[in-house]
Amino acid sequence: DDPGVARVLDRALWEAGHRVELAHDGVNGLTRGETGLYDLIVLDVLLPELNGVEVCRQLRQTGIRSAILMLTARDTVLDRVRGLDAGADDYVVKPFAVEELLARIRALDRRVAHPAVDDLLHLGDLALDLGQHEARRGQRTIPLTAKEFALLRYLMRHPGRVLTKEQITDHVWGYDSEATSNVVEIYIHYLRDKIDRGFTRPLIRTVRGAGYMMRE
């Protein structure tokens, strides 16, 4: 809820290689978190509108499995227990060093890392091998540029969900990128040309006025 602290953490996480979205109150944070698009949620406890413990509890009740790291100014055993019982995976007590927060995030990433089987993404007859950096549909190997591969990976990791051009830009091109919505449209066109052309069932869908999604 502190804009200054939020900006510092936002920049530190971006510089550490993460893609970041900010929410400054609990209701906004809950709405974003319920999309299931995030690997990790760094959640302040003392948030306006809805406190962090309740945000965490509601996210877990809706089945969200994102790792959750709580930030709290209260260092009592009861406060820590409340956060962990609500579904948090770890906590950091304020004031904290940014280096400690980044180390806790790296540790969480190791603990909740996807198993090796997740190196292969499937959607219908389309397969994306993250380890080999290779895409196949049916019996056809599909050559992709690095950016096309990153875009397809992002879409396939969220099947059936509408992803806005802004979300795609942030996650594929990065926070500091000058990429525009037109660039996203161009690369979606490139992917469609490679993934869907020649097949009876298109996998990449346009949701008019909203964004793009992949589904069978």
Side-chain angles (χ1 to χ4, degrees):
D1 64 331
D2 185 318
V5 173
R7 284 194 298 272
V8 170
L9 295 182
D10 178 68
R11 175 54 56 184
L13 288 165
W14 277 101
E15 290 178 351
H18 301 283
R19 297 287 179 262
V20 185
E21 292 184 18
L22 276 174
H24 293 289
D25 64 72
V27 172
N28 191 4
L30 178 62
T31 300
R32 288 170 181 255
E34 285 176 334
T35 65
L37 295 176
Y38 305 97
D39 297 315
L40 172 74
I41 297 170
V42 179
L43 185 59
D44 201 358
V45 170
L46 297 178
L47 289 171
E49 306 294 339
L50 192 65
N51 71 63
V53 173
E54 187 58 30
V55 171
C56 183
R57 180 176 294 109
Q58 291 190 35
L59 287 173
R60 293 307 190 214
Q61 287 174 348
T62 58
I64 297 302
R65 299 178 62 186
S66 307
I68 296 178
L69 176 66
M70 303 284 288
L71 301 179
T72 177
R74 301 170 177 173
D75 190 23
T76 69
V77 172
L78 181 58
D79 289 320
R80 297 197 299 271
V81 168
R82 283 174 178 163
L84 294 170
D85 281 349
D89 298 285
D90 199 359
Y91 68 92
V92 172
V93 177
K94 300 177 183 177
F96 56 86
V98 172
E99 292 79 7
E100 179 189 0
L101 178 69
L102 294 175
R104 294 291 188 108
I105 288 173
R106 290 194 297 271
L108 271 179
D109 188 48
R110 290 193 297 270
R111 280 159 48 187
V112 302
H114 300 296
V117 68
D118 283 352
D119 282 347
L120 191 62
L121 302 178
H122 285 280
L123 184 67
D125 57 352
L126 175 65
L128 189 68
D129 190 322
L130 304 184
Q132 297 297 319
H133 214 270
E134 180 180 86
R136 296 184 63 85
R137 186 162 186 191
Q139 301 302 312
R140 182 192 303 174
T141 299
I142 302 168
L144 298 173
T145 67
K147 198 59 68 179
E148 290 167 352
F149 186 91
L151 175 56
L152 182 59
R153 177 179 59 199
Y154 183 52
L155 293 171
M156 289 185 68
R157 277 181 167 164
H158 307 290
R161 288 198 173 100
V162 178
L163 302 172
T164 67
K165 292 178 182 178
E166 291 76 16
Q167 288 174 318
I168 293 172
T169 300
D170 285 348
H171 283 79
V172 177
W173 276 268
Y175 178 77
D176 293 323
S177 171
E178 296 180 359
T180 65
S181 61
N182 288 339
V183 173
V184 175
E185 291 175 6
I186 290 168
Y187 273 84
I188 289 289
H189 172 75
Y190 291 160
L191 270 188
R192 279 188 168 132
D193 193 47
K194 293 183 175 184
I195 299 299
D196 286 337
R197 177 179 285 186
F199 293 90
T200 57
R201 181 185 292 272
L203 298 176
I204 301 173
R205 313 290 180 92
T206 298
V207 182
R208 196 168 300 278
Y212 303 97
M213 67 185 295
M214 289 193 75
R215 70 179 184 194
E216 294 186 61

